[in-house]
Structure formats: structure tokens, C-alpha cells
Amino acid sequence: TASSPAAMKLPPNLPPQMAALFQQVDLNQSPHCMSVSKSAHVGGFGLSRDIIMTEKAVFQSNWMQVPAELVPDHIESLPELRKDRYGNLTTVEEGDQPTNGDVMIKFEYIADGFDASFIVQQVLLDADPEAGVPEHKYGVDKQKIIDEKCCGKITDDLGVIWMVRAGRHDLKEMIMMAKEDEKAVTKVLRILCWILLVAGWMMLFSIFTTLLSTLPLLGALGSAAFFIVALIVGTVCCCAVTAVAYFRYRPLITAIILAIAGGIAGIIIWRLNDANEASLQPTSAPVAAPKFFMEPEELVLEYY
């Protein structure tokens, strides 16, 4: 891999430390280059350069430097290169700082026995005019899924099958991992949309908060009040959009939930109406309590 940094347009008078932070090296852009061995594989399946570069978390997280004793001291076609103490081939002399035009080649590998699980399409690898005959017969690739309905008259594009995870996992575990990843992304997007909705309503109310800020006492109070209003309205909008989307993609479950909610609401309204009607009915006159046989009678005293 060439190590000279690519030219970048940076703001003038930028401190060197800050400029170094902005200069991020892209190994796929000129003058840099990355080459993958044609023997790269997982099990009996060969891996192309595109797969290794796109699935960095799986295939590039455990790379190690090739031991210096396995790296050749010289390359006949590149006599200007020398091997440094780290096992890299470079044009930089020991103790010198690299400058523009210098070259460095690094050799990295991953130990054999690396495990990875795939939900992909198995393909037959063909011979390439430049790479020659592949060392492995089969490889992996993305497969587009089309769901045909009504004897093929209606088709639904379900996307592509492509899932790669490090380690050994069965089909059930892979599907559960995909569901968990989808749930996490959905939660993050919902929270982000909710924050944006609240911020948008606050911007709509900013004309009023700006006017209230000119008043010494009502400025902070008005801003807090409009924030609460924006929070409520934004939450209602977010819930409404989520409900519509849920009904679009899960109509049966949504219909059952609405039916149950409607039934509960109907029962509550019916009971409240019965209680209201009972409270409006006229009450009867009180009935005197009956006198028991042994109950003493009232004594009436007459004076003459």
C-alpha cells in the first residue's frame, strides 16, 4: 500500500495538527492501492476483493502484520525498495521522515481457520484473464428476490439476500441477528425523527418566542411554554406517522388492535351511559322502618 497522503484542499492558515486530523487516508483512492490475494477464502468459498472491502467489520477486524522474516528483502522488479524492521517494503531510509513520492508496501493477513456465516447466493467462480483460474470452485454473491403472486402476474421485489457475520451461526441465529439489527436501526430513526419534528415546531414558533424575548418577564416563560407545546405537537405528529406506517405494513395486526380498542371503548361508553341514566331517574320517598314485636312504643304524656 502506498503511504503518501492524497492532496486535500484545506482552509488556509490551518494549524498543522488540525490539518493532520482532516487528512484521512482512503486506501482505495489514488495514489493508494490495496490488493487482495486470490487465495482468500472462508471454508471452501473464495472471497473477492469487493466482499472483503465492503464487509470490513467481518474480514478486516482481525488483520495482523505478516512476520518480518516471511517478507522478502528485495523485489527484483522494484530494486529501490528495502525492508524495514517492521517487515514493510519502503523507499524511506532508516531514520528519515517520509515525503511526497515515497512508497511503502504493507503485508497483512488473517490466520487460517477464520469462521464466517453467510446467507447469500452460491455462485460458480469463473476464470479471470488477469487473475487466472480461481483456487476455489465456488464463491458468494448477492441474490435479488422476487415474490411472484397470482401465477406470476403480480411480483413483489423483496430486495437482495446478503448477510455476513463473523463466527459460526445457524439460520435461526442469523435471522434473529438481522431482526435485532433492524429493530435497533428503527429505534434510532424514530428517535431522530421525533427530535427533528420537535425542533421543526420550535422553529415555527420562533417568531413568537422572538417577540416574547423582548419582554423582561415573559421571555423565558413564553419560550418554555412554546417548547412544551412543540413537544406535545411533535409527539402527536410522530405517533400519527408511526401509526400510519404500522397500518401500511401490518394491516391485519393493526385491524385486530383497532377492533379490540374499539370494543373496549364501546363497553366503557355503554357503562358510563347506564350510570348516567341511573343517576337521572327520580328517587322514591323513604319508607318507614317496620316495628318489631318487642320494640318499645313511644310514650305520650298528657297533662290536665
Side-chain angles (χ1 to χ4, degrees), residues 198-240:
V198 174
W201 282 105
M202 279 296 299
M203 291 178 184
L204 290 176
F205 295 146
S206 62
I207 183 173
F208 304 106
T209 56
T210 303
L211 292 175
L212 290 175
S213 63
T214 59
L215 301 177
L217 296 179
L218 297 179
L221 185 61
S223 299
F226 279 109
F227 174 75
I228 295 174
V229 173
L231 186 65
I232 296 174
V233 177
T235 303
V236 172
C237 292
C238 184
C239 294

Side-chain angles (χ1 to χ4, degrees), residues 37-47 52 59 112-114 135-136:
S37 173
K38 64 178 182 180
S39 61
H41 68 283
V42 173
F45 296 92
L47 298 177
I52 294 177
F59 299 113
D112 199 7
F114 173 77
E135 297 186 7
H136 299 84

Side-chain angles (χ1 to χ4, degrees), residues 21-302:
L21 293 177
F22 284 107
Q23 290 179 344
Q24 297 181 357
V25 177
D26 188 356
L27 299 179
N28 294 316
Q29 297 294 330
S30 178
H32 309 283
C33 180
M34 178 176 290
S35 177
V36 177
S37 173
K38 64 178 182 180
S39 61
H41 68 283
V42 173
F45 296 92
L47 298 177
S48 65
R49 181 183 183 276
D50 294 336
I51 296 175
I52 294 177
M53 296 305 298
T54 54
E55 300 293 337
K56 296 181 180 180
V58 178
F59 299 113
Q60 299 186 24
S61 58
N62 296 321
W63 281 5
M64 296 178 291
Q65 184 83 14
V66 174
E69 58 270 14
L70 300 180
V71 178
D73 295 332
H74 301 282
I75 298 179
E76 295 182 0
S77 58
L78 298 172
E80 62 273 11
L81 295 178
R82 68 171 190 87
K83 184 172 72 172
D84 61 12
R85 55 181 176 176
Y86 302 106
N88 303 319
L89 296 179
T90 179
T91 57
V92 181
E93 296 295 333
E94 190 71 27
D96 294 343
Q97 294 293 329
T99 59
N100 289 336
D102 288 329
V103 177
M104 182 172 64
I105 301 176
K106 289 184 178 180
F107 296 91
E108 294 178 325
Y109 78 105
I110 186 170
D112 199 7
F114 173 77
D115 293 328
S117 301
F118 299 86
I119 300 181
V120 293
Q121 177 191 15
Q122 176 179 319
V123 295
L124 185 65
L125 295 179
D126 298 327
D128 187 84
E130 296 181 359
V133 179
E135 297 186 7
H136 299 84
K137 184 177 181 181
Y138 298 101
V140 295
D141 197 3
K142 297 180 179 180
Q143 173 63 36
K144 197 169 186 178
I145 304 299
I146 303 297
D147 184 17
E148 296 184 354
K149 303 176 182 177
C150 298
C151 300
K153 296 181 179 180
I154 300 177
T155 58
D156 190 8
D157 189 358
L158 301 181
V160 297
I161 291 182
W162 179 259
M163 186 176 179
V164 183
R165 292 292 185 272
R168 292 190 177 186
H169 308 281
D170 56 17
L171 179 60
K172 184 177 180 180
E173 292 176 349
M174 294 283 283
I175 294 176
M176 290 299 298
M177 293 167 67
K179 289 182 177 179
E180 293 296 329
D181 294 343
E182 183 180 3
K183 289 180 181 179
V185 173
T186 303
K187 290 180 181 179
V188 172
L189 291 177
R190 286 177 179 174
I191 294 174
L192 181 61
C193 292
W194 174 71
I195 294 174
L196 292 176
L197 281 172
V198 174
W201 282 105
M202 279 296 299
M203 291 178 184
L204 290 176
F205 295 146
S206 62
I207 183 173
F208 304 106
T209 56
T210 303
L211 292 175
L212 290 175
S213 63
T214 59
L215 301 177
L217 296 179
L218 297 179
L221 185 61
S223 299
F226 279 109
F227 174 75
I228 295 174
V229 173
L231 186 65
I232 296 174
V233 177
T235 303
V236 172
C237 292
C238 184
C239 294
V241 173
T242 304
V244 172
Y246 197 88
F247 181 77
R248 165 64 179 83
Y249 293 101
R250 297 176 178 85
L252 181 60
I253 298 177
T254 307
I256 294 174
I257 294 174
L258 291 177
I260 294 174
I264 295 174
I267 293 174
I268 294 174
I269 294 173
W270 171 54
R271 297 298 297 175
L272 290 176
N273 289 335
D274 287 348
N276 189 24
E277 291 176 359
S279 64
L280 295 177
Q281 291 180 359
T283 57
S284 58
V287 181
K291 295 182 179 181
F292 295 96
F293 177 75
M294 298 300 295
E295 185 177 356
E297 297 182 356
E298 294 181 358
L299 297 178
V300 179
L301 300 177
E302 297 181 358

